[in-house]
Amino acid sequence: MKRAFIIFYTTLFSLFLIYGLFPVSSAEAKVSGLCANCHTMHNSQNGTSVLITGTGTGWNSSGVLSGGSLQSAPAETLLVTTCVGCHSSTTSSTIINTGGSQIPIVYNTVVPTNPLAGGNFHWVATDDTRGHNVYGISGQDSLTQAPGKTLGSCANSCHTSLAQAPGANNSNRGGCRGCHVFTSHHDDSRLWYRFLKGHNATSAELPIPPSAADTSDYVVGDEDDDWEQETAIDHNWYKGTTTAYSPGAGLQNHQTITAFCSGCHGIFHGPQTNGYGMGSGSPWVRHPTDIALPQGDGSEYAQYIPATNYSTQAPVAWTDPTNTSNRGTPIVMCLSCHRTHGSDQPDMLRWNYSGMIAGTTGASAGTGCFTCHTTKDGS
Ligand code: HEC
Ligand code: HEC
Ligand code: HEC
Ligand code: HEC
Ligand code: HEC
Ligand code: HEC
């Protein structure tokens, strides 16, 4: 009796820990910790600059920002370094805990252990094909524009390269901010999943007006509190849709992660017109995305039930990702196969595509493509 009582209260306490201290919300981006971790009031200490930028900048094993070189010009909002600098580490850790701050690392100068959900820029620093080439990490590769570049969008901008320095072509953004167009490190009230916000399809003109921050073209999702450093307990939930749409106002109208990627790679999604798009049913002409993963119909896909047996080999999006009691229908998305920042594979894929052999009973059976196409391996 007493034992059951204790278990009851222990369970209640754990529930409190899970839901009380870490409320399930769609955006948990707010930073914590010492102001001095991230800000410098005058960019001067003992007469020397504090701001560090450039190659080699990153948090070291003592939790100190080091490497790079000192920059005498101060930065906007009084920051001690750039986007790349603060999200980098010279260790293999992908979360740095220092002075009360918890910093997600997306670029490790050495091979990262447990890369976060977006993967890592480590590999693209030495091999162009393994990630997005972004300013501050790697120069422009042989690609002169985003493959499958969205029609009609501005010609010389983030749609053509994310490796350009901030300037007039990218509204003083470029690099990280080509995708994370608006950021809000101190504000949890923004509903943008991981600061993924477009610049308003109806005002494509540069410079991007500040008012674009208030439009509805952002990604919806439920954010895992450790950015999927571990996936055994919980994971991210991304928005997807079963409604067909063409690139343009896709992000505004559907708020899916696939519509976000399609902002730059628009030709790879949508109904087929003049060689563009994926089609609208089988037989498809490009791999479909933002379509339902068939469930419960006995087909090859029905053997993968993400609601009860989610696989990080082939994650899916959901029609109602923030509804914790019923996330809705599982959806094929761009991130079912790709990592967004970079990976150890060509085309920033989640697994070794050249190891996917139809009819195999070897090591790749049940992995990668076969997670969904369960009847195409030999097992
Ligand atoms: C001085 C340090 C610092 C700088 C500079 C900085 N960030 Fe961050 N950023 C953080 C920390 C710390 C977090 C984690 C906040 C938290 O605990 O959720 C974060 C979180 C993020 C996230 C994830 C948000 C989420 O929902 O989890 C993104 C995306 C991001 N930053 C992008 C950027 C971009 C783009 C820039 C440049 C405009 C930038 N950061 C500059 C420290 C920094
Ligand atoms: C702001 C524009 C933009 C967005 C948004 C964008 N990309 Fe890209 N992408 C590019 C550009 C430019 C290139 C070509 C240069 C390079 O490789 O970085 C590219 C290249 C790629 C490549 C090929 C990499 C290589 O070097 O072979 C893949 C794969 C890719 N993107 C996937 C995605 C996915 C998945 C998303 C959504 C999470 C996405 N992209 C969102 C601009 C974008
Ligand atoms: C091509 C678009 C793109 C570019 C460029 C990009 N990001 Fe991201 N970023 C994303 C997406 C999409 C996610 C969400 C990934 C997920 O949840 O699977 C993300 C997630 C993050 C996170 C949360 C950690 C994680 O892995 O989920 C941080 C921090 C972050 N980005 C920082 C940066 C920084 C710093 C840069 C520049 C060095 C950058 N991003 C460049 C698209 C991009
Ligand atoms: C972990 C890093 C981090 C810490 C700690 C931090 N900040 Fe910030 N702060 C940022 C970043 C990054 C920005 C840039 C705004 C953005 O990109 O979202 C910022 C912007 C600001 C801004 C201007 C924009 C806004 O949101 O109001 C103020 C004011 C500010 N910080 C004050 C503080 C104060 C005061 C402290 C200490 C109590 C503090 N910050 C601690 C990272 C941090
Ligand atoms: C997240 C689950 C998922 C993953 C991972 C996945 N697929 Fe698919 N694939 C689907 C679904 C669902 C369809 C649409 C089936 C339909 O319309 O009947 C599809 C369609 C296809 C088609 C076109 C079929 C047709 O009827 O036109 C091919 C070919 C294909 N996939 C190959 C692959 C390959 C190769 C891989 C690995 C690189 C892969 N898929 C990974 C779910 C997935
Ligand atoms: C079913 C798995 C799968 C899905 C879903 C998927 N891709 Fe790919 N993607 C691949 C594979 C595999 C390659 C390697 C080349 C090939 O076979 O086309 C690739 C290559 C690419 C490239 C590089 C093309 C080049 O010319 O180098 C880009 C860009 C890209 N994908 C973007 C996207 C975007 C954007 C989405 C969502 C609209 C998406 N992918 C959805 C599997 C996928």
Side-chain angles (χ1 to χ4, degrees):
M1 176 76 185
K2 201 171 179 184
R3 200 190 144 109
F5 186 77
I6 290 169
I7 291 172
F8 174 69
Y9 275 96
T10 315
T11 313
L12 257 192
F13 183 65
S14 325
L15 283 174
F16 171 74
L17 274 180
I18 296 166
Y19 295 105
L21 283 181
F22 305 110
V24 180
S25 79
S26 54
E28 311 178 28
K30 196 168 172 170
V31 292
S32 55
L34 294 170
C35 310
N37 283 346
C38 306
H39 293 286
T40 171
M41 298 303 109
H42 311 287
N43 189 23
S44 181
Q45 197 68 56
N46 301 325
T48 311
S49 303
V50 176
L51 181 67
I52 309 183
T53 58
T55 312
T57 308
W59 298 93
N60 67 18
S61 53
S62 312
V64 173
L65 193 65
S66 59
S69 42
L70 295 175
Q71 178 183 308
S72 56
E76 279 180 10
T77 59
L78 286 48
L79 290 165
V80 290
T81 183
T82 57
C83 311
V84 175
C86 198
H87 286 286
S88 294
S89 176
T90 52
T91 73
S92 62
S93 306
T94 51
I95 295 179
I96 297 290
N97 288 292
T98 186
S101 299
Q102 188 184 231
I103 308 163
I105 301 301
V106 299
Y107 175 42
N108 296 76
T109 54
V110 296
V111 177
T113 39
N114 301 329
L116 304 178
N120 199 279
F121 288 103
H122 170 77
W123 296 280
V124 74
T126 48
D127 179 345
D128 282 337
T129 68
R130 301 195 176 208
H132 278 109
N133 292 50
V134 299
Y135 176 72
I137 296 177
S138 51
Q140 186 163 0
D141 62 9
S142 56
L143 296 170
T144 53
Q145 61 177 36
K149 181 174 154 300
T150 306
L151 294 173
S153 45
C154 39
N156 181 14
S157 64
C158 298
H159 299 259
T160 54
S161 175
L162 292 159
Q164 289 174 14
N169 292 337
N170 52 37
S171 202
N172 276 320
R173 287 174 167 82
C176 309
R177 298 186 72 197
C179 285
H180 301 289
V181 178
F182 294 95
T183 50
S184 69
H185 284 79
H186 282 288
D187 182 5
D188 269 352
S189 67
R190 295 291 195 173
L191 298 174
W192 320 326
Y193 176 83
R194 304 292 187 217
F195 304 160
L196 297 170
K197 170 77 187 71
H199 52 78
N200 190 359
T202 54
S203 71
E205 294 296 309
L206 294 175
I208 296 166
S211 60
D214 298 319
T215 49
S216 63
D217 56 339
Y218 53 83
V219 178
V220 164
D222 192 347
E223 301 172 341
D224 180 18
D225 58 5
D226 63 7
W227 303 278
E228 292 194 352
Q229 194 187 50
E230 57 69 29
T231 45
I233 302 170
D234 48 17
H235 58 79
N236 293 317
W237 301 84
Y238 311 84
K239 175 87 164 60
T241 183
T242 55
T243 309
Y245 61 92
S246 303
L251 188 54
Q252 191 141 324
N253 295 341
H254 303 288
Q255 302 182 314
T256 70
I257 187 74
T258 293
F260 179 80
C261 304
S262 303
C264 292
H265 299 285
I267 287 174
F268 292 177
H269 181 80
Q272 201 190 354
T273 38
N274 303 327
Y276 306 127
M278 64 189 190
S280 37
S282 178
W284 302 92
V285 297
R286 288 194 171 86
H287 198 285
T289 46
D290 265 344
I291 59 150
L293 181 68
Q295 302 279 278
D297 62 352
S299 74
E300 66 185 280
Y301 314 101
Q303 292 176 51
Y304 173 33
I305 310 289
T308 51
N309 198 14
Y310 190 81
S311 167
T312 50
Q313 289 276 318
V316 290
W318 304 84
T319 47
D320 198 1
T322 55
N323 178 354
T324 53
S325 56
N326 182 1
R327 313 273 185 174
T329 308
I331 303 288
V332 182
M333 60 171 174
C334 306
L335 298 185
S336 294
C337 304
H338 293 284
R339 296 271 183 199
T340 191
H341 292 149
S343 78
D344 59 356
Q345 300 295 326
D347 290 307
M348 44 214 261
L349 287 164
R350 308 182 77 95
W351 16 255
N352 177 8
Y353 184 36
S354 51
M356 300 288 147
I357 304 160
T360 190
T361 49
S364 70
T367 70
C369 310
F370 304 127
T371 312
C372 297
H373 293 277
T374 57
T375 59
K376 297 294 190 283
D377 59 15
S379 59

